[in-house]
Amino acid sequence: MHLFDYLDSGNGFKVRLLLAQLGQDYRWTHVDIDKGETRTPEFLRKNPNGRIPTLELDDGTYLFESNAILWYLAEGSRFVPATQLGRAQVLQWMFFEQYSHEPYVATPRYICRHFPADHPRRAELPVRLEKGQAALKVMDEHLATRQFFVNDRYSIADIALYAYTHVAPDGGLSLEPYPHVRAWIARIAALPAYIELLALPKGATNPAAAA
Amino acid sequence: MHLFDYLDSGNGFKVRLLLAQLGQDYRWTHVDIDKGETRTPEFLRKNPNGRIPTLELDDGTYLFESNAILWYLAEGSRFVPATQLGRAQVLQWMFFEQYSHEPYVATPRYICRHFPADHPRRAELPVRLEKGQAALKVMDEHLATRQFFVNDRYSIADIALYAYTHVAPDGGLSLEPYPHVRAWIARIAALPAYIELLALPKGATNPAAAA
């Protein structure tokens, strides 16, 4: 398998973390989103929506959308529940992540890390951060009585939500008011085969990544 | 099963359409999002994220996120592919729908139908419609060589994308430039057990729905 990715992307990190915990080898190529490398005709042939992560399978198929890639890699493994309801609940939290969390937890981090203090996109921050707080509150209340999101077992729902939550302060979103979220982050960071968001994948040979 | 829903919601319509095509009976209760009925303490105990559709299962579990509900209802049926790759591709398009399509195709429709012409939220329309056009372009190019989104068979990926696409013009998003999308819409509307978005579910007895 061949992962097209951007090292600082939480969406890409979801896939890297799962692959590390599955013990699966893969090729890794850095695609520089800031240089428009996801919008070239060549890249759009891989993913017509022009985004990373995009995973090339061994048969040449390209799969995109980070949470769909997680599902593909994890189906049938210990990272996906064995029951119909458990699987639907994992997807429930993964759709929550993409709709109610990512735009308000991840995007502020992107804005803060990629645009100067006087950039017009900074004007988006107050509304986004308010909705980010609402998403973290939903998570904190759910985790008040649970170790992990579904069936008290670590799953790809946790991976999907962890990716941007654990670096939310990079975007100005404090985790201080959410003790259950912080305890859950500590549990995940202590799991076997855990990797850091900015850890370069083993064997990554792309010059842009090594730079 | 008991569906908590808002009749004009495309996200709710996804679930109603699938239930109709599965031939499954259910209770249906109208929840008026405009009157804040999804933000009451009582409703937040059903769905802590305060949104419809929310499905109460026979064991009393509440499931939320429209696309996760579709998965729960359709898993193992003809509406979900039998292969690992097919299932992941169905989810790929469902995550595309929630992240790159719904906020830009559904939200303009909501703004146009719920806020007067001089309302400040109308200012969001130009940016949202531009991204809506980008999503429709991705769909149109994909459908240029296909009858349906995955494996040329109607699936819950089509249901998820159809719900707001077929009423996109309500939000000021013309389908004129997307002939393959229009042909796909016509194919879906001609399927057995098709229902209209605003068709009141059979046996709906809630006074708000009947009003």
Side-chain angles (χ1 to χ4, degrees):
Chain A
M1 288 185 303
H2 186 172
L3 183 62
F4 296 85
D5 192 5
Y6 177 80
L7 193 60
D8 195 34
S9 163
N11 286 321
F13 171 61
K14 296 174 188 174
V15 180
R16 279 174 260 143
L17 176 55
L18 176 62
L19 286 166
Q21 295 184 320
L22 286 168
Q24 185 138 5
D25 288 328
Y26 58 101
R27 269 184 76 196
W28 188 81
T29 292
H30 194 251
V31 181
D32 195 332
I33 55 178
D34 289 320
K35 291 187 182 151
E37 291 180 5
T38 47
R39 306 295 160 134
T40 64
E42 187 197 347
F43 191 82
L44 291 171
R45 277 193 294 274
K46 299 178 172 62
N47 176 352
N49 202 31
R51 292 174 188 276
I52 54 86
T54 294
L55 183 67
E56 182 181 2
L57 307 179
D58 291 339
D59 71 355
T61 304
Y62 293 97
L63 192 61
F64 51 95
E65 293 293 331
S66 57
N67 290 350
I69 295 172
L70 291 185
W71 189 271
Y72 176 80
L73 295 170
E75 207 187 35
S77 80
R78 69 188 187 279
F79 299 100
V80 171
T83 65
Q84 181 189 11
L85 178 59
R87 286 189 293 275
Q89 288 173 325
V90 160
L91 288 172
Q92 166 187 283
W93 288 109
M94 292 171 88
F95 281 109
F96 166 86
E97 189 265 336
Q98 284 289 286
Y99 194 83
S100 297
H101 179 283
E102 208 266 13
Y104 312 118
V105 177
T107 304
R109 178 175 181 267
Y110 183 81
I111 291 171
C112 289
R113 285 165 86 87
H114 291 256
F115 299 111
D118 59 349
H119 194 278
R121 285 211 58 185
R122 298 257 172 171
E124 299 172 19
L125 289 174
V127 170
R128 288 192 188 266
L129 293 176
E130 192 187 324
K131 293 188 178 186
Q133 284 157 359
L136 292 171
K137 183 167 175 281
V138 168
M139 291 171 65
D140 201 62
E141 289 175 1
H142 185 74
L143 290 168
T145 55
R146 295 170 179 91
Q147 299 286 301
F148 295 106
F149 270 86
V150 179
N151 294 348
D152 261 341
R153 279 192 63 171
Y154 179 64
S155 73
I156 53 174
D158 298 288
I159 293 178
L161 281 162
Y162 176 83
Y164 283 111
T165 301
H166 85 295
V167 291
D170 292 350
L173 205 49
S174 170
L175 295 173
E176 194 56 37
Y178 313 108
H180 308 299
V181 168
R182 285 186 280 114
W184 165 81
I185 286 173
R187 278 193 291 278
I188 293 178
L191 288 173
Y194 178 78
I195 56 168
E196 300 285 339
L197 194 156
L198 289 172
L200 197 63
K202 260 192 293 185
T205 51
N206 186 296
Chain B
M1 288 187 302
H2 186 173
L3 184 62
F4 295 84
D5 192 7
Y6 177 80
L7 193 59
D8 195 34
S9 162
N11 286 322
F13 171 61
K14 295 173 188 174
V15 180
R16 280 174 259 143
L17 176 56
L18 176 62
L19 285 166
Q21 294 185 321
L22 287 168
Q24 184 139 4
D25 288 329
Y26 58 101
R27 269 184 75 196
W28 189 81
T29 292
H30 193 251
V31 182
D32 195 332
I33 54 177
D34 289 322
K35 291 186 181 149
E37 291 180 3
T38 47
R39 305 296 160 132
T40 63
E42 187 197 347
F43 191 81
L44 291 171
R45 277 193 295 273
K46 299 178 171 63
N47 176 352
N49 203 30
R51 292 174 188 275
I52 56 84
T54 294
L55 183 67
E56 182 182 2
L57 307 180
D58 291 340
D59 71 355
T61 304
Y62 293 97
L63 192 62
F64 51 96
E65 293 294 330
S66 58
N67 289 350
I69 296 172
L70 291 185
W71 189 271
Y72 177 80
L73 295 170
E75 205 187 37
S77 79
R78 68 187 187 280
F79 298 101
V80 171
T83 64
Q84 181 189 11
L85 178 59
R87 285 189 293 274
Q89 288 174 325
V90 160
L91 288 173
Q92 165 188 283
W93 288 108
M94 291 170 89
F95 281 109
F96 166 86
E97 190 265 337
Q98 283 290 286
Y99 193 84
S100 297
H101 179 282
E102 208 266 13
Y104 313 117
V105 177
T107 304
R109 178 174 180 269
Y110 183 81
I111 291 170
C112 290
R113 286 165 85 89
H114 292 255
F115 299 110
D118 59 349
H119 193 278
R121 284 210 59 185
R122 298 258 172 171
E124 299 172 18
L125 289 173
V127 170
R128 288 194 189 265
L129 293 175
E130 191 187 326
K131 292 187 178 186
Q133 285 158 358
L136 292 171
K137 182 167 176 280
V138 168
M139 292 171 64
D140 202 62
E141 289 175 1
H142 185 74
L143 290 168
T145 55
R146 294 169 180 92
Q147 299 284 302
F148 296 107
F149 269 85
V150 179
N151 293 348
D152 261 343
R153 280 192 64 171
Y154 180 64
S155 74
I156 54 174
D158 299 287
I159 292 179
L161 281 162
Y162 176 83
Y164 282 111
T165 301
H166 85 293
V167 291
D170 292 350
L173 206 48
S174 171
L175 295 173
E176 195 55 38
Y178 314 108
H180 308 298
V181 168
R182 285 186 280 115
W184 166 80
I185 287 173
R187 277 193 291 278
I188 292 178
L191 288 173
Y194 179 78
I195 56 169
E196 300 284 338
L197 193 157
L198 289 172
L200 198 61
K202 261 192 292 188
T205 52
N206 186 296

